[in-house]
Amino acid sequence: MVPSSSTKDPPPTPSWFTPKRLLIIFCVINMINYVDRGAIASNGVNGSIRICDDRGICTSGSGIQGEFDLTNFQDGLLSSAFMVGLLAASPIFASLAKSHNPFRLIGVGLSVWTLAAAGCGSAFSFWFIAICRMLVGVGEASFISLAAPFIDDNAPVSQKTAWLAMFYMCIPTGVALGYVYGGFVGGHFHWRYAFWGEALLMLPFAVFGFVVKPLQLKGFCSVESKKALTSVETVSAVTDDSDASKLDGRILVGGDGVIADELNKTSKSVGIHNILNQFSPFAKDVKVLLVDQVYVINVFGYIAYNFVIGAYSYWGPKAGYNIYHMKSADMMFGGITIVCGILGTISGGLILDRMSATISNAFILLSGATFLGAIFCFVAFCLRSLYGFIVLFAVGELLVFATQAPVNYVCLHCVKPSLRPLSMAISTVSIHIFGDVPSSPLVGVLQVMF
């Protein structure tokens, strides 16, 4: 009899590890991710196209747009190309976490991210940089799926949502820093240096993911346990094969009695069987998530939230300019969003922890903050006074951003521990495919119709 792996003591904690150190490391990585998002959208990196006036005098373009002579359509594709890799790779990394150490998978993803960012800086054509942007998304996918479960495992019980809030606070902070970073580097040096700088910043974390002793997520067997279980299954399979080799009372020694063609067919069938065995657990896990009513309701709400945020982020400054004739609508909306995004995200986590972090309390906070936030934002756009708009809109954004930590808390805690990476991956894929990606063009179509 072989003892079950579940009876073994958990692996010792790595010497480098403390919960706060892990949170800081993951927050810095998340911020670098979103610095990249802001940098590629900044004027210093994205640049402008080459323009000629009626007299034939042309001004040279700048940044990526100017160097590769991109159309506005190509420029739009470039800014969202990372989404292709992110959406395709998130479920893959989440499913691989069951057979490979999740901490090592983060190292793999960050290595891909680092190489892809360096490739963006070395790009020689539109298609090359577009492919590199897709690979940036692939690298980010591992971190997005696996970082939050690690934080949830190691945060103090009374501060779990606050720690998640600090992690997600890095999103607006990173984007804001990205605008400044991209504008400064692109304006004073060259847009390529911005990507090379990002790659250098991420490189130590990619190396860190491979050289240190890895952490293990709760709900997952350690690699050693999996190897031991695999060896037992292999011995069992060999024993079964030796028993099955007795045909018509004859014992086939060493497999010499098996015809070569039959052996080839057997090998092919085993290969197909192994592929199906890899896909079957993934499909089963996805089905478990899709029949979980709490998870589905939470993700549907998160989709609606991101649909509105996506439409606002694109059309909000234009609406502010047309209604209030703001000369600096981008700066006004951007500044309010950054400040309220940081304060609102942290406040949501702290409030849920003070209420006692449970799924029911999270839904109470989500429904209340979303409802009140929507009212404040709607009334803000109905006012004629610019100052009244700023005050009500800021309050509305504080309330709306307070949902970030609670909604992700529900994603992590409404499923069993082994499904948390896939839960985060499916949530990420859903909110982008059905939320912020289609919202801007759909709202544009509605404006034309009405």
Side-chain angles (χ1 to χ4, degrees):
M1 294 292 291
V2 179
S4 171
S5 61
S6 61
T7 62
K8 295 183 178 181
D9 294 332
T13 303
S15 59
W16 63 268
F17 168 79
T18 64
K20 289 184 179 179
R21 188 175 296 166
L22 180 73
L23 177 64
I24 293 171
I25 290 171
F26 279 0
C27 284
V28 173
I29 293 172
N30 201 31
M31 192 169 294
I32 296 173
N33 271 327
Y34 282 91
V35 163
D36 174 74
R37 304 268 191 97
I40 196 170
S42 66
N43 289 324
V45 173
N46 187 261
S48 60
I49 59 176
R50 182 171 177 266
I51 300 175
C52 297
D53 59 21
D54 296 336
R55 296 175 296 175
I57 300 175
C58 299
T59 58
S60 60
S62 62
I64 297 173
Q65 255 195 314
E67 183 157 339
F68 297 125
D69 195 22
L70 304 183
T71 64
N72 287 332
F73 177 73
Q74 288 175 317
D75 187 43
L77 286 178
L78 196 61
S79 65
S80 57
F82 81 96
M83 197 73 72
V84 176
L86 178 67
L87 300 185
S90 291
I92 295 174
F93 278 110
S95 61
L96 286 175
K98 287 195 168 185
S99 57
H100 299 77
N101 184 277
F103 199 82
R104 292 288 188 245
L105 289 176
I106 291 178
V108 171
L110 296 183
S111 298
V112 174
W113 194 100
T114 302
L115 292 173
C120 290
S122 307
F124 54 83
S125 69
F126 164 72
W127 287 110
F128 186 88
I129 195 172
I131 292 171
C132 287
R133 294 306 300 170
M134 293 179 194
L135 291 175
V136 166
V138 171
E140 185 178 336
S142 68
F143 185 72
I144 292 298
S145 303
L146 300 170
F150 272 114
I151 293 173
D152 185 62
D153 276 353
N154 296 284
V157 176
S158 61
Q159 299 177 353
K160 283 186 178 292
T161 320
W163 280 39
L164 286 174
M166 284 185 274
F167 177 72
Y168 287 107
M169 177 201 69
C170 296
I171 295 176
T173 308
V175 172
L177 287 175
Y179 285 129
V180 176
Y181 167 77
F184 178 80
V185 175
H188 290 79
F189 303 99
H190 195 277
W191 65 267
R192 295 181 183 274
Y193 288 99
F195 291 114
W196 290 335
E198 293 170 7
L200 287 175
L201 288 173
M202 189 67 83
L203 180 60
F205 298 103
V207 175
F208 181 80
F210 287 105
V211 299
V212 300
K213 186 176 181 179
L215 290 175
Q216 185 65 47
L217 277 177
K218 292 180 182 177
F220 292 84
C221 296
S222 64
V223 176
E224 291 78 9
S225 299
K226 290 172 184 174
K227 288 181 179 178
L229 182 60
T230 303
S231 64
V232 172
E233 291 174 346
T234 303
V235 172
S236 176
V238 170
T239 304
D240 293 342
D241 290 342
S242 64
D243 292 339
S245 64
K246 299 177 181 179
L247 301 174
D248 298 328
R250 294 177 298 166
I251 299 177
L252 306 179
V253 181
D256 292 337
V258 180
I259 301 174
D261 291 342
E262 293 179 351
L263 186 59
N264 290 334
K265 291 179 180 178
T266 302
S267 300
K268 292 179 181 178
S269 65
V270 169
I272 295 173
H273 181 68
N274 288 337
I275 294 173
L276 292 176
N277 281 344
Q278 291 289 332
F279 179 76
S280 179
F282 172 75
K284 184 179 178 181
D285 289 343
V286 171
K287 182 179 178 181
V288 170
L289 291 178
L290 294 180
V291 298
D292 188 320
Q293 293 182 356
V294 174
Y295 179 75
V296 171
I297 291 172
N298 188 58
V299 172
F300 270 130
Y302 205 10
I303 289 171
Y305 166 87
N306 275 272
F307 187 95
V308 174
I309 292 296
Y312 148 75
S313 63
Y314 185 80
W315 294 106
K318 293 178 173 60
Y321 177 80
N322 292 325
I323 296 172
Y324 301 104
H325 306 290
M326 298 181 189
K327 294 182 179 180
S328 57
D330 289 339
M331 294 295 293
M332 176 70 71
F333 275 78
I336 294 175
T337 300
I338 291 167
V339 174
C340 294
I342 294 171
L343 296 179
T345 302
I346 294 178
S347 299
L350 293 173
I351 291 170
L352 183 56
D353 282 334
R354 182 62 61 91
M355 293 171 63
S356 179
T358 63
I359 291 177
S360 59
N361 283 342
F363 274 121
I364 292 172
L365 180 56
L366 286 170
S367 57
T370 305
F371 180 72
L372 293 175
I375 291 176
F376 274 97
C377 289
F378 179 78
V379 174
F381 278 101
C382 294
L383 295 179
R384 293 185 177 275
S385 168
L386 175 61
Y387 297 107
F389 164 81
I390 292 173
V391 172
L392 291 182
F393 186 71
V395 174
E397 281 214 317
L398 277 171
L399 290 165
V400 168
F401 278 108
T403 62
Q404 276 289 328
V407 74
N408 286 287
Y409 175 89
V410 175
C411 280
L412 289 168
H413 287 266
C414 70
V415 300
K416 60 183 182 180
S418 62
L419 288 179
R420 289 178 302 167
L422 185 60
S423 168
M424 299 303 294
I426 297 298
S427 172
T428 300
V429 170
S430 300
I431 64 175
H432 290 309
I433 290 181
F434 303 109
D436 53 7
V437 171
S439 64
S440 296
L442 286 177
V443 170
V445 170
L446 289 176
Q447 289 188 68
V448 173
M449 292 175 61
F450 301 100

